[in-house]
Structure formats: C-alpha cells, structure tokens
Amino acid sequence: ITTTDKKSLLLSRLLLSILLLVSTVHRSITLAFSSYPLSTHTMSNNVDNLTGAGDGKFHFAIDRGGTFTDVVCRLPNGQEVVFKLLSEDPQHYADAPTEGIRRLLDQHDTPVTGIDYSRGRPVRTDRIGSIRMGTTVATNALLERQGARMALLTTEGFGDLLEIGNQARPDIFDLSCKTPSLLY
C-alpha cells in the first residue's frame, strides 16, 4: 500500500467515524427547558460537605445514557446534589443534560440570586464553573444496529473498505477465516 492509499484509508475511516457520531447524537446538542424532576438526592458522605468548602460556582458532571441521564452537581458551597431524569421526554424537554442543568440552577441558584432559569430562556453560564459530560448513546446505537441512515464516500478503489478492514485476524493466511459481522 502506498502512502497515498494509507492516507485515503485513514481519511475514509475518519469520515465514517464523524458520520456515525453526528448522525446518532445530533439531537443531544439542542437546548430546551421544562420541569417535572424524577428524583433528587443530596449526598451526605462527601468530605467537602462537612467542611462547607466550595468555589462559588456550580460544577456539573453528566452521564447521558439511553434511558436515564444522571447529573451530579457540586453547588457553590461544596455540597453535592445528584439528579436523575429521563434521557428522552419530548413532551417536556428536547435535551436532558441541558434540562438537568436548568432544573438544578432553578432549584439552587434562583432562591439565592433571583436569576430566572425558567423554560424557554437561555441558561446563564456565568454561575457555572464547569460541565463534564459522557454518553453511551452512540455506542448503544451501533450495538443495537439503530440510528440514522448514512452513506460512506471513498476514493475510487476503496468501496469495500469496511468489509476488508485492516486484515486483523488470528491467522492471516487462513483463506476460510470467518470474520465477525459489521457493527452497522
């Protein structure tokens, strides 16, 4: 394989990865606002809770799964609050991570500052110190063979790229080798 062929192969793989990512998680980028919390739990076993330490900002760690979205928030006083809501509830909100942030700010910041975090208004970010987010949505879509239809564009001669892969198999010279099916 020439250097040009290797570059084309890498670019094709990169394009496929981007297409998969964009097509399966594009809905989680939108912003929407609502109410109706599923559950809220305050953690009491955190060392910072005992000392009252905090930096005056809200810090969010969010795990968006296929069914539920978990939001952990360190409040400005150092206390941590855990909040869980449905990952998809289109009648109430379009984006679960944004909704979780909005609800926690509305519950814990509005009484102190008077800032309005009601539905339909942009969330003010000056009180937010950090947002960290992870998701398994794209991985689950691949494993469950669900997701949006897409196309792979390659340069001439690379149409069978996904089927050929990188030839990684236990015995490279075994002509009757059975390869696993493609994820999607």
Side-chain angles (χ1 to χ4, degrees):
I1 297 178
T2 66
T3 304
T4 304
D5 292 339
K6 287 181 181 179
K7 286 180 181 177
S8 295
L9 179 65
L10 289 173
L11 286 173
S12 296
R13 286 184 179 170
L14 177 63
L15 177 62
L16 177 63
S17 298
I18 291 170
L19 286 172
L20 289 173
L21 181 64
V22 168
S23 67
T24 55
V25 298
H26 72 277
R27 283 181 286 137
S28 66
I29 297 172
T30 60
L31 299 174
F33 309 100
S34 182
S35 56
Y36 308 107
L38 263 172
S39 67
T40 303
H41 172 70
T42 302
M43 299 175 66
S44 59
N45 60 349
N46 188 296
V47 175
D48 288 341
N49 290 348
L50 301 175
T51 63
D55 67 356
K57 298 261 187 188
F58 289 85
H59 297 273
F60 295 94
I62 303 170
D63 176 23
R64 187 186 188 285
T67 305
F68 292 103
T69 294
D70 299 300
V71 182
V72 177
C73 177
R74 179 166 295 218
L75 302 175
N77 65 3
Q79 182 183 16
E80 287 185 356
V81 177
V82 178
F83 185 78
K84 180 184 282 281
L85 68 160
L86 291 171
S87 291
E88 293 195 22
D89 191 358
Q91 292 178 336
H92 298 114
Y93 48 85
D95 181 60
T98 303
E99 177 63 16
I101 290 170
R102 188 201 66 77
R103 289 184 193 183
L104 286 169
L105 288 171
D106 189 50
Q107 183 179 1
H108 296 282
D109 195 39
T110 300
V112 176
T113 63
I115 297 173
D116 184 15
Y117 294 103
S118 60
R119 277 179 269 154
R121 298 182 60 120
V123 175
R124 286 190 43 184
T125 59
D126 57 324
R127 301 275 294 140
I128 298 175
S130 65
I131 300 174
R132 296 179 181 185
M133 186 169 151
T135 182
T136 58
V137 174
T139 304
N140 291 345
L142 283 173
L143 294 175
E144 296 169 4
R145 297 178 186 264
Q146 296 177 349
R149 291 179 54 100
M150 65 187 79
L152 171 65
L153 303 175
T154 66
T155 55
E156 186 176 349
F158 287 91
D160 54 358
L161 176 68
L162 291 177
E163 187 176 341
I164 293 173
N166 64 3
Q167 294 296 323
R169 56 184 183 220
D171 184 359
I172 192 78
F173 299 108
D174 182 3
L175 298 177
S176 62
C177 172
K178 297 211 189 257
T179 58
S181 64
L182 298 175
L183 280 178
Y184 204 87

